[in-house]
Short mmCIF file of all heavy atoms in Angstrom, two decimals:
data_model
loop_
_atom_site.label_atom_id
_atom_site.label_comp_id
_atom_site.label_asym_id
_atom_site.label_seq_id
_atom_site.Cartn_x
_atom_site.Cartn_y
_atom_site.Cartn_z
N GLN I 21 -178.70 -97.02 82.55
CA GLN I 21 -180.12 -97.38 82.57
C GLN I 21 -180.97 -96.21 83.02
O GLN I 21 -180.74 -95.61 84.08
CB GLN I 21 -180.35 -98.56 83.53
CG GLN I 21 -181.82 -98.96 83.61
CD GLN I 21 -182.14 -99.96 84.70
OE1 GLN I 21 -181.24 -100.40 85.43
NE2 GLN I 21 -183.40 -100.32 84.84
N TYR I 23 -184.79 -95.17 84.07
CA TYR I 23 -186.12 -95.63 84.46
C TYR I 23 -187.02 -94.44 84.13
O TYR I 23 -187.09 -93.47 84.90
CB TYR I 23 -186.10 -95.97 85.95
CG TYR I 23 -187.34 -96.68 86.44
CD1 TYR I 23 -187.52 -98.03 86.14
CD2 TYR I 23 -188.30 -96.00 87.16
CE1 TYR I 23 -188.67 -98.68 86.58
CE2 TYR I 23 -189.44 -96.65 87.59
CZ TYR I 23 -189.62 -97.99 87.30
OH TYR I 23 -190.75 -98.64 87.73
N TRP I 57 -180.08 -97.46 78.23
CA TRP I 57 -181.12 -98.51 78.17
C TRP I 57 -182.33 -97.91 78.86
O TRP I 57 -182.24 -97.46 79.99
CB TRP I 57 -180.59 -99.77 78.86
CG TRP I 57 -181.59 -100.57 79.66
CD1 TRP I 57 -182.93 -100.73 79.40
CD2 TRP I 57 -181.34 -101.31 80.86
NE1 TRP I 57 -183.51 -101.54 80.37
CE2 TRP I 57 -182.56 -101.90 81.27
CE3 TRP I 57 -180.19 -101.55 81.62
CZ2 TRP I 57 -182.67 -102.69 82.41
CZ3 TRP I 57 -180.30 -102.35 82.76
CH2 TRP I 57 -181.53 -102.91 83.14
N SER I 59 -185.85 -98.50 80.54
CA SER I 59 -186.80 -99.45 81.09
C SER I 59 -188.15 -99.20 80.39
O SER I 59 -188.33 -98.16 79.75
CB SER I 59 -186.93 -99.26 82.60
OG SER I 59 -185.92 -99.96 83.26
N ASP I 68 -196.66 -103.50 87.65
CA ASP I 68 -195.28 -103.83 88.00
C ASP I 68 -194.33 -102.83 87.33
O ASP I 68 -193.48 -103.20 86.53
CB ASP I 68 -194.95 -105.27 87.58
CG ASP I 68 -193.52 -105.67 87.95
OD1 ASP I 68 -192.92 -105.00 88.82
OD2 ASP I 68 -193.00 -106.63 87.35
N GLY I 69 -194.54 -101.56 87.66
CA GLY I 69 -193.64 -100.50 87.19
C GLY I 69 -193.42 -100.47 85.68
O GLY I 69 -192.36 -100.02 85.23
N GLY I 70 -194.38 -100.94 84.91
CA GLY I 70 -194.22 -100.91 83.45
C GLY I 70 -193.79 -102.24 82.86
O GLY I 70 -193.82 -102.42 81.64
N TYR I 71 -193.38 -103.18 83.73
CA TYR I 71 -193.01 -104.52 83.25
C TYR I 71 -194.27 -105.38 83.05
O TYR I 71 -194.21 -106.60 82.99
CB TYR I 71 -191.98 -105.19 84.18
CG TYR I 71 -190.60 -104.59 83.98
CD1 TYR I 71 -190.19 -103.46 84.66
CD2 TYR I 71 -189.73 -105.13 83.04
CE1 TYR I 71 -188.95 -102.89 84.44
CE2 TYR I 71 -188.48 -104.57 82.81
CZ TYR I 71 -188.10 -103.45 83.51
OH TYR I 71 -186.87 -102.89 83.27
N ASP I 72 -195.40 -104.72 83.00
CA ASP I 72 -196.67 -105.34 82.61
C ASP I 72 -197.09 -104.56 81.37
O ASP I 72 -197.64 -103.48 81.46
CB ASP I 72 -197.70 -105.24 83.74
CG ASP I 72 -197.78 -103.85 84.39
OD1 ASP I 72 -196.73 -103.19 84.58
OD2 ASP I 72 -198.90 -103.40 84.69
N ASP I 106 -186.30 -102.18 76.40
CA ASP I 106 -186.52 -103.35 77.25
C ASP I 106 -187.59 -104.21 76.58
O ASP I 106 -188.66 -103.72 76.24
CB ASP I 106 -187.04 -102.84 78.60
CG ASP I 106 -186.50 -103.61 79.77
OD1 ASP I 106 -186.58 -104.84 79.74
OD2 ASP I 106 -186.04 -102.97 80.74
N VAL I 108 -190.04 -107.45 77.12
CA VAL I 108 -190.57 -108.27 78.22
C VAL I 108 -191.36 -109.45 77.62
O VAL I 108 -192.59 -109.38 77.49
CB VAL I 108 -191.48 -107.40 79.14
CG1 VAL I 108 -191.85 -108.16 80.40
CG2 VAL I 108 -190.79 -106.09 79.50
N ASN I 110 -191.64 -112.76 78.60
CA ASN I 110 -192.17 -113.87 79.39
C ASN I 110 -193.66 -113.72 79.66
O ASN I 110 -194.38 -114.69 79.74
CB ASN I 110 -191.40 -113.96 80.72
CG ASN I 110 -191.91 -115.11 81.57
OD1 ASN I 110 -191.79 -116.27 81.18
ND2 ASN I 110 -192.53 -114.80 82.70
N HIS I 111 -194.09 -112.47 79.81
CA HIS I 111 -195.48 -112.21 80.17
C HIS I 111 -195.92 -110.88 79.61
O HIS I 111 -195.08 -110.01 79.37
CB HIS I 111 -195.61 -112.17 81.70
CG HIS I 111 -194.53 -111.34 82.36
ND1 HIS I 111 -193.38 -111.89 82.87
CD2 HIS I 111 -194.40 -110.00 82.53
CE1 HIS I 111 -192.60 -110.93 83.35
NE2 HIS I 111 -193.19 -109.77 83.16
N PHE I 156 -194.57 -112.56 93.08
CA PHE I 156 -195.26 -111.47 93.75
C PHE I 156 -196.57 -111.90 94.41
O PHE I 156 -197.35 -111.06 94.85
CB PHE I 156 -195.59 -110.34 92.76
CG PHE I 156 -194.39 -109.71 92.11
CD1 PHE I 156 -194.48 -109.20 90.82
CD2 PHE I 156 -193.19 -109.58 92.79
CE1 PHE I 156 -193.38 -108.60 90.22
CE2 PHE I 156 -192.10 -108.98 92.19
CZ PHE I 156 -192.19 -108.49 90.91
N PHE I 179 -195.13 -113.84 87.82
CA PHE I 179 -195.02 -112.59 88.60
C PHE I 179 -196.43 -112.22 89.10
O PHE I 179 -197.14 -113.11 89.57
CB PHE I 179 -194.33 -111.50 87.75
CG PHE I 179 -192.87 -111.87 87.49
CD1 PHE I 179 -192.51 -112.65 86.41
CD2 PHE I 179 -191.89 -111.52 88.39
CE1 PHE I 179 -191.19 -113.04 86.20
CE2 PHE I 179 -190.57 -111.90 88.21
CZ PHE I 179 -190.22 -112.67 87.11
N ALA I 180 -196.83 -110.98 88.96
CA ALA I 180 -198.13 -110.58 89.52
C ALA I 180 -199.27 -111.18 88.69
O ALA I 180 -199.09 -111.51 87.52
CB ALA I 180 -198.22 -109.06 89.53
N GLN I 183 -199.78 -110.09 85.26
CA GLN I 183 -198.70 -110.39 84.30
C GLN I 183 -198.78 -111.85 83.84
O GLN I 183 -197.94 -112.67 84.19
CB GLN I 183 -197.34 -110.13 84.95
CG GLN I 183 -197.08 -108.65 85.24
CD GLN I 183 -195.84 -108.44 86.11
OE1 GLN I 183 -195.81 -108.87 87.26
NE2 GLN I 183 -194.82 -107.80 85.57
N ARG I 213 -182.71 -105.13 75.92
CA ARG I 213 -182.47 -105.78 77.20
C ARG I 213 -183.63 -106.76 77.36
O ARG I 213 -184.80 -106.37 77.25
CB ARG I 213 -182.44 -104.73 78.31
CG ARG I 213 -182.22 -105.27 79.73
CD ARG I 213 -183.53 -105.43 80.44
NE ARG I 213 -183.38 -105.78 81.85
CZ ARG I 213 -184.38 -106.15 82.62
NH1 ARG I 213 -185.61 -106.21 82.14
NH2 ARG I 213 -184.18 -106.47 83.88
N ASP I 215 -185.93 -109.08 79.38
CA ASP I 215 -186.42 -109.30 80.74
C ASP I 215 -186.66 -110.79 81.00
O ASP I 215 -187.26 -111.48 80.17
CB ASP I 215 -187.75 -108.52 80.88
CG ASP I 215 -188.26 -108.46 82.30
OD1 ASP I 215 -187.61 -107.79 83.12
OD2 ASP I 215 -189.31 -109.06 82.58
N VAL I 216 -186.21 -111.26 82.15
CA VAL I 216 -186.45 -112.66 82.57
C VAL I 216 -186.21 -113.64 81.41
O VAL I 216 -187.04 -114.51 81.12
CB VAL I 216 -187.88 -112.86 83.14
CG1 VAL I 216 -187.91 -114.04 84.11
CG2 VAL I 216 -188.39 -111.65 83.87
N HIS I 218 -184.60 -116.18 80.98
CA HIS I 218 -184.45 -117.62 81.23
C HIS I 218 -185.78 -118.35 81.35
O HIS I 218 -185.80 -119.57 81.47
CB HIS I 218 -183.63 -117.83 82.50
CG HIS I 218 -184.17 -117.11 83.70
ND1 HIS I 218 -184.44 -115.76 83.70
CD2 HIS I 218 -184.49 -117.54 84.94
CE1 HIS I 218 -184.91 -115.40 84.88
NE2 HIS I 218 -184.95 -116.47 85.65
N GLU I 277 -181.33 -110.70 80.88
CA GLU I 277 -181.45 -110.79 82.33
C GLU I 277 -181.81 -112.25 82.62
O GLU I 277 -182.92 -112.69 82.31
CB GLU I 277 -182.56 -109.88 82.85
CG GLU I 277 -182.67 -109.93 84.37
CD GLU I 277 -184.06 -109.64 84.92
OE1 GLU I 277 -185.07 -110.00 84.28
OE2 GLU I 277 -184.15 -109.07 86.01
N PHE I 279 -181.44 -115.24 85.57
CA PHE I 279 -181.00 -115.73 86.88
C PHE I 279 -180.79 -117.23 86.76
O PHE I 279 -181.73 -118.01 86.90
CB PHE I 279 -182.01 -115.37 87.97
CG PHE I 279 -182.06 -113.90 88.23
CD1 PHE I 279 -183.06 -113.12 87.67
CD2 PHE I 279 -181.10 -113.28 89.02
CE1 PHE I 279 -183.10 -111.75 87.89
CE2 PHE I 279 -181.13 -111.92 89.24
CZ PHE I 279 -182.13 -111.15 88.67
N ASN I 336 -179.40 -101.64 89.84
CA ASN I 336 -180.43 -101.46 88.81
C ASN I 336 -181.76 -101.16 89.51
O ASN I 336 -181.78 -100.98 90.73
CB ASN I 336 -180.50 -102.67 87.85
CG ASN I 336 -180.91 -103.96 88.55
OD1 ASN I 336 -181.78 -103.95 89.41
ND2 ASN I 336 -180.28 -105.06 88.18
N HIS I 337 -182.82 -101.12 88.74
CA HIS I 337 -184.11 -100.70 89.28
C HIS I 337 -184.75 -101.74 90.21
O HIS I 337 -185.86 -101.51 90.70
CB HIS I 337 -185.06 -100.39 88.11
CG HIS I 337 -185.42 -101.63 87.34
ND1 HIS I 337 -184.47 -102.34 86.62
CD2 HIS I 337 -186.57 -102.31 87.21
CE1 HIS I 337 -185.05 -103.40 86.08
NE2 HIS I 337 -186.33 -103.40 86.42
N ASP I 338 -184.12 -102.88 90.40
CA ASP I 338 -184.66 -103.92 91.28
C ASP I 338 -183.88 -104.05 92.58
O ASP I 338 -184.18 -104.91 93.40
CB ASP I 338 -184.61 -105.30 90.57
CG ASP I 338 -185.53 -105.39 89.37
OD1 ASP I 338 -186.59 -104.71 89.38
OD2 ASP I 338 -185.19 -106.12 88.43
N ASP I 413 -194.87 -100.71 94.50
CA ASP I 413 -194.27 -101.96 94.04
C ASP I 413 -195.04 -103.21 94.50
O ASP I 413 -195.26 -103.39 95.70
CB ASP I 413 -192.83 -102.02 94.57
CG ASP I 413 -192.07 -103.19 93.97
OD1 ASP I 413 -192.63 -103.90 93.14
OD2 ASP I 413 -190.90 -103.38 94.36
N PRO I 414 -195.37 -104.09 93.53
CA PRO I 414 -196.08 -105.33 93.92
C PRO I 414 -195.25 -106.21 94.86
O PRO I 414 -195.81 -107.03 95.60
CB PRO I 414 -196.31 -106.05 92.58
CG PRO I 414 -195.34 -105.46 91.62
CD PRO I 414 -195.12 -104.05 92.09
N GLN I 415 -193.94 -106.04 94.81
CA GLN I 415 -193.10 -106.84 95.71
C GLN I 415 -193.47 -106.58 97.18
O GLN I 415 -193.32 -107.42 98.03
CB GLN I 415 -191.62 -106.52 95.47
CG GLN I 415 -190.67 -107.49 96.11
CD GLN I 415 -189.30 -107.41 95.46
OE1 GLN I 415 -189.15 -107.58 94.27
NE2 GLN I 415 -188.28 -107.12 96.24
N ARG I 426 -189.11 -102.24 95.82
CA ARG I 426 -188.03 -101.61 95.07
C ARG I 426 -188.25 -100.13 94.77
O ARG I 426 -187.50 -99.53 94.02
CB ARG I 426 -187.84 -102.39 93.76
CG ARG I 426 -187.58 -103.88 94.01
CD ARG I 426 -187.87 -104.73 92.79
NE ARG I 426 -189.30 -104.69 92.47
CZ ARG I 426 -189.86 -105.34 91.43
NH1 ARG I 426 -189.11 -106.06 90.64
NH2 ARG I 426 -191.15 -105.23 91.20
N ARG I 430 -186.27 -96.07 92.97
CA ARG I 430 -186.98 -95.56 91.79
C ARG I 430 -187.56 -94.17 92.03
O ARG I 430 -188.42 -93.70 91.28
CB ARG I 430 -188.12 -96.52 91.42
CG ARG I 430 -187.63 -97.93 91.10
CD ARG I 430 -188.78 -98.88 90.85
NE ARG I 430 -188.31 -100.22 90.52
CZ ARG I 430 -189.10 -101.25 90.23
NH1 ARG I 430 -190.41 -101.09 90.24
NH2 ARG I 430 -188.60 -102.43 89.94
C1 GLC K 601 -187.43 -108.29 85.79
C2 GLC K 601 -187.50 -106.80 86.01
C3 GLC K 601 -188.36 -106.51 87.21
C4 GLC K 601 -189.74 -107.07 86.97
C5 GLC K 601 -189.68 -108.54 86.59
C6 GLC K 601 -190.98 -109.00 85.98
O1 GLC K 601 -186.76 -108.94 86.82
O2 GLC K 601 -186.21 -106.27 86.12
O3 GLC K 601 -188.43 -105.14 87.47
O4 GLC K 601 -190.51 -106.93 88.13
O5 GLC K 601 -188.71 -108.79 85.60
O6 GLC K 601 -191.13 -108.45 84.71
#
Side-chain angles (χ1 to χ4, degrees):
Q21 179 189 359
Y23 190 75
W57 143 33
S59 275
D68 181 19
Y71 285 87
D72 46 322
D106 218 310
V108 189
N110 180 64
H111 46 264
F156 298 149
F179 293 88
Q183 293 169 295
R213 179 263 187 190
D215 190 67
V216 206
H218 54 307
E277 182 208 34
F279 291 99
N336 63 40
H337 67 295
D338 293 330
D413 188 2
Q415 193 161 303
R426 304 160 295 179
R430 300 175 179 181

